[in-house]
Amino acid sequence: MSKHHCTSSLAALIAVSAFLGRAQASAEEEATPQVGGIETITVTARKTEEDLQKTPVAVTAFTGEDLKDRGINRVIDLSATAPNVIFKSLGGYANGTTVSIRGLGANPDGRPFVDPGVSIYVDGVVQPRPSHNLLDLVDIDRVEVLRGPQGTLFGRNTVGGAVNIITRLPSEEFGIEQKFSFGTHSDIESRSTINTGQLFESNFTAKLIYDHHQNAGYQRSTLAPPGTPSGGYSNSDSGLLVVHGDLSPDLTVDLKGYYTARQDMPPASAIVAWGPSNSLTYFSDSPRWGGKPVMVYGPDYVDTVNDEQRATATWPSTYTGGSATVSWRANDALTLKSITGVTLGRSVNHTDCSGGNGGLLGPVLVGSTITIQNVAPYTCNVNGETGLDLSGDNAPIVDGQVGGPIQTERDQSFSEELNAVGGWDDLQYAVGLFYLDEHVKDYNPTAFTSVIPYAVTPQTPLGLVGVQGMLYSFWRIYNQTAAGYAQASWKPEVFDEKLEITGGLRYSYEHKRMHEKTFFNGVNTLNRVPAKTWHYINFNTSLRYQWTEDFGTYFRVANADQAGGFNPQDANTVYY
């Protein structure tokens, strides 16, 4: 099922949001977007460079200097810098961020089969997976936060809006810069930048940046030996290479590549409710058998947990991406641009669903025998927290890969956009074609101890016993998307170009296919290969009147779609 959202707004006076299909309205005050007063800031929210003050889109823009002054180093640090915009890290995903704009767009747990409602673009290249978009903002020219549906020019997955990140081009002068910063929890960052200037007296310039950032964390595990990283620990190394070429006065090429490697120890999640009621009774009896006490969410929970996973290892991830942009200005009325992008991500993820409850012991029924084993209410990654042997004959083999105890996600994407922008007299236009090919692979083990009534015996004094369960899920999702769009803006001469009328339309085709296999306690319980095609029509129309050079109002109506997909966690509901 596709989700349709339509927003209309009257900036500087009042904004009114209307949701088509499911009637819902809200009102909010919005000032004309600006940064640092009435200075001129150029944005590309409509695929062409224009003054932020005269753009009929709710945009908050930050220059590189703004980010520096605010201490913003990563995408997640942008949270609350713009009205109704929230960035949150994805628990267990070292490189994961979920974005919500005006209450729309969040993908709370970062599941790879759920598309985001707010998309992040780096130099015009979409970053399709929320689990790999916690980007270090290395040498940024500007960041544009577009609020409200952006389906016409930016396409699917922009029901809440879009975040447009533009990196800085190399300097024409040779230079070396070194920066250091320090903070609480042993937060240390070092950034080295080399600008080559003109390479060998050619029309090419280049820039190389290396950034190291580490933080000691703040959440201690009682099971961790001295020196083990705490929850919240992170250690990242990022690199950015930019090459810019002026092949002629009208022809430019930009090549950009970036790489991030992280080692993280995400904080433990919290169990805030237990059910059925006898489960808390069972797990609370752990100290009787020599185990750790149950951790219940409370004032002390933030700083200390019993977490065996955080006592053993950190969780690595890597993210690589690149883009090639070629722009040719044919004449005053036409500029052609090609944007080619690739992304490659890999995460070994740890979402601690046990609420920091490692080291619990309890009576477990195995066949007709009761033994004392490690038990867990629920854990998304099972690294010794249950009594199950997760290797050898007990681990399923799919595509030649032996299942292990840790969730692993891999994704890769290729995208291409061709667009033409320009205008003549009182008409401006933007038309384009877009293609995306994406492949996501996820291996997700979960383990749990079910609690059932049992006869009261010396081994089961509470009349309760645990039964171990182990669920392995393998998912592969293939996605192909193609789209075409067109938008035009007209400024009638009769209004002295103070009035602008804009209209745009986009058609998108999307085809997805999923391969899924599920094993429960080593038995293959599910095999399916669903496939489905979606078609989206998005539109945008706006009226803007520029009363003075520094003040204008606009009325805008637009819609966007959040991509449909599959639900691997429900054997009965395949599509959504």
Side-chain angles (χ1 to χ4, degrees):
M1 177 180 65
S2 62
K3 306 165 187 175
H4 303 277
H5 302 266
C6 176
T7 301
S8 62
S9 60
L10 181 60
L13 296 178
I14 190 170
V16 180
S17 299
F19 296 83
L20 296 183
R22 298 182 180 179
Q24 185 177 5
S26 64
E28 59 177 299
E29 294 182 356
E30 290 196 7
T32 302
Q34 56 182 302
V35 176
I38 311 298
E39 62 177 304
T40 299
I41 296 179
T42 300
V43 296
T44 53
R46 297 197 294 175
K47 298 292 185 180
T48 185
E49 293 186 351
E50 56 187 338
D51 185 355
L52 171 63
Q53 298 291 332
K54 300 177 181 179
T55 303
V57 180
V59 184
T60 300
F62 301 92
T63 65
E65 290 303 313
D66 293 326
L67 299 176
K68 178 182 176 181
D69 293 342
R70 293 167 179 256
I72 296 175
N73 298 308
R74 297 188 299 171
V75 166
I76 194 172
D77 298 331
L78 291 168
S79 189
T81 57
N84 304 308
V85 177
I86 298 175
F87 291 74
K88 290 184 178 180
S89 62
L90 292 175
Y93 288 87
N95 270 336
T97 305
T98 182
V99 189
S100 174
I101 298 180
R102 295 176 174 173
L104 299 172
N107 178 4
D109 59 3
R111 292 296 187 182
F113 48 82
V114 178
D115 286 70
V118 175
S119 288
I120 295 178
Y121 293 78
V122 178
D123 295 317
V125 177
V126 65
Q127 313 297 302
R129 290 300 109 195
S131 53
H132 287 118
N133 61 19
L134 181 55
L135 306 171
D136 292 325
L137 297 177
V138 178
D139 205 39
I140 299 301
D141 181 62
R142 67 182 183 277
V143 174
E144 303 167 3
V145 180
L146 285 61
R147 305 191 302 280
Q150 307 296 327
T152 302
L153 295 180
F154 289 87
R156 52 197 273 285
N157 299 334
T158 58
V159 293
V163 179
N164 200 15
I165 300 172
I166 299 93
T167 57
R168 198 187 307 273
L169 293 177
S171 170
E172 294 185 358
E173 302 294 330
F174 174 81
I176 299 176
E177 183 180 59
Q178 178 65 52
K179 295 181 179 179
F180 293 98
S181 64
F182 305 89
T184 57
H185 299 294
S186 300
D187 189 280
I188 301 172
E189 182 173 13
S190 170
R191 180 174 298 177
S192 307
T193 304
I194 299 176
N195 275 286
T196 65
Q198 289 190 338
L199 291 169
F200 310 109
E201 299 184 354
S202 69
N203 292 325
F204 284 88
T205 56
K207 176 172 56 181
L208 179 63
I209 299 177
Y210 167 70
D211 183 272
H212 175 79
H213 190 192
Q214 65 184 55
N215 186 294
Y218 57 87
Q219 190 180 63
R220 185 179 65 87
S221 171
T222 62
L223 301 181
T228 300
S230 302
Y233 163 86
S234 66
N235 190 322
S236 69
D237 293 284
S238 301
L240 172 67
L241 175 63
V242 181
V243 177
H244 173 76
D246 293 308
L247 304 184
S248 76
D250 298 318
L251 180 63
T252 63
V253 59
D254 292 293
L255 305 176
K256 300 180 181 182
Y258 46 90
Y259 174 80
T260 296
R262 299 177 63 92
Q263 293 279 345
D264 283 69
M265 184 67 73
S269 58
I271 296 178
V272 296
W274 293 75
S277 59
N278 63 7
S279 63
L280 180 57
T281 302
Y282 172 83
F283 292 111
S284 297
D285 202 38
S286 172
R288 180 201 299 267
W289 312 105
K292 290 285 184 178
V294 163
M295 295 293 297
V296 178
Y297 184 72
D300 298 329
Y301 180 86
V302 173
D303 299 319
T304 305
V305 294
N306 300 324
D307 194 336
E308 190 164 350
Q309 291 166 317
R310 282 165 179 74
T312 54
T314 55
W315 309 92
S317 69
T318 59
Y319 190 60
T320 306
S323 64
T325 302
V326 180
S327 179
W328 176 49
R329 182 177 177 275
N331 50 52
D332 291 340
L334 174 64
T335 298
L336 299 175
K337 181 180 289 187
S338 167
I339 305 173
T340 305
V342 295
T343 66
L344 298 169
R346 180 183 184 273
S347 293
V348 177
N349 306 320
H350 173 42
T351 305
D352 173 39
C353 303
S354 68
N357 281 293
L360 300 181
L361 294 176
V364 174
L365 181 63
V366 181
S368 59
T369 304
I370 295 177
T371 61
I372 304 302
Q373 296 185 5
N374 287 93
V375 294
Y378 181 83
T379 181
C380 302
N381 300 286
V382 279
N383 196 20
E385 291 191 2
T386 70
L388 291 175
D389 178 9
L390 304 176
S391 60
D393 294 337
N394 291 332
I397 299 177
V398 176
D399 297 334
Q401 175 185 348
V402 178
I406 306 301
Q407 180 184 359
T408 302
E409 179 185 329
R410 294 181 175 88
D411 63 75
Q412 60 189 47
S413 72
F414 168 83
S415 63
E416 173 65 36
E417 179 171 350
L418 299 172
N419 64 45
V421 298
W424 54 89
D425 297 331
D426 53 7
L427 182 68
Q428 300 292 319
Y429 67 89
V431 297
L433 299 172
F434 175 78
Y435 174 77
L436 171 70
D437 187 282
E438 184 185 12
H439 175 204
V440 182
K441 179 180 179 181
D442 188 87
Y443 164 71
N444 186 27
T446 56
F448 50 88
T449 304
S450 300
V451 179
I452 61 174
Y454 197 79
V456 175
T457 69
Q459 290 180 301
T460 55
L462 300 177
L464 299 171
V465 70
V467 178
Q468 304 283 33
M470 182 66 213
L471 180 68
Y472 288 92
S473 297
F474 293 84
W475 310 319
R476 287 180 181 268
I477 298 176
Y478 303 87
N479 173 35
Q480 288 184 319
T481 300
Y485 63 86
Q487 180 169 293
S489 298
W490 177 43
K491 296 180 179 180
E493 290 186 8
V494 67
F495 290 96
D496 197 23
E497 295 191 346
K498 292 183 177 181
L499 175 68
E500 180 188 75
I501 304 171
T502 299
L505 193 67
R506 184 187 189 103
Y507 166 75
S508 299
Y509 162 91
E510 181 170 41
H511 179 76
K512 286 185 177 180
R513 184 176 80 256
M514 180 181 71
H515 293 190
E516 179 184 11
K517 291 188 178 182
T518 300
F519 297 81
F520 182 73
N521 285 353
V523 178
N524 187 190
T525 57
L526 179 65
N527 289 283
R528 59 181 178 181
V529 188
K532 189 173 176 62
T533 298
W534 288 266
H535 302 271
Y536 311 119
I537 300 292
N538 301 125
F539 68 90
N540 163 48
T541 183
S542 66
L543 295 174
R544 178 180 66 85
Y545 195 86
Q546 197 70 27
W547 302 94
T548 69
E549 183 65 24
D550 298 325
F551 178 78
T553 58
Y554 68 86
F555 176 84
R556 179 174 183 263
V557 179
N559 80 331
D561 288 276
Q562 186 169 346
F566 309 106
N567 188 3
Q569 296 178 316
D570 189 338
N572 298 316
T573 304
V574 181
Y575 308 107
Y576 66 85

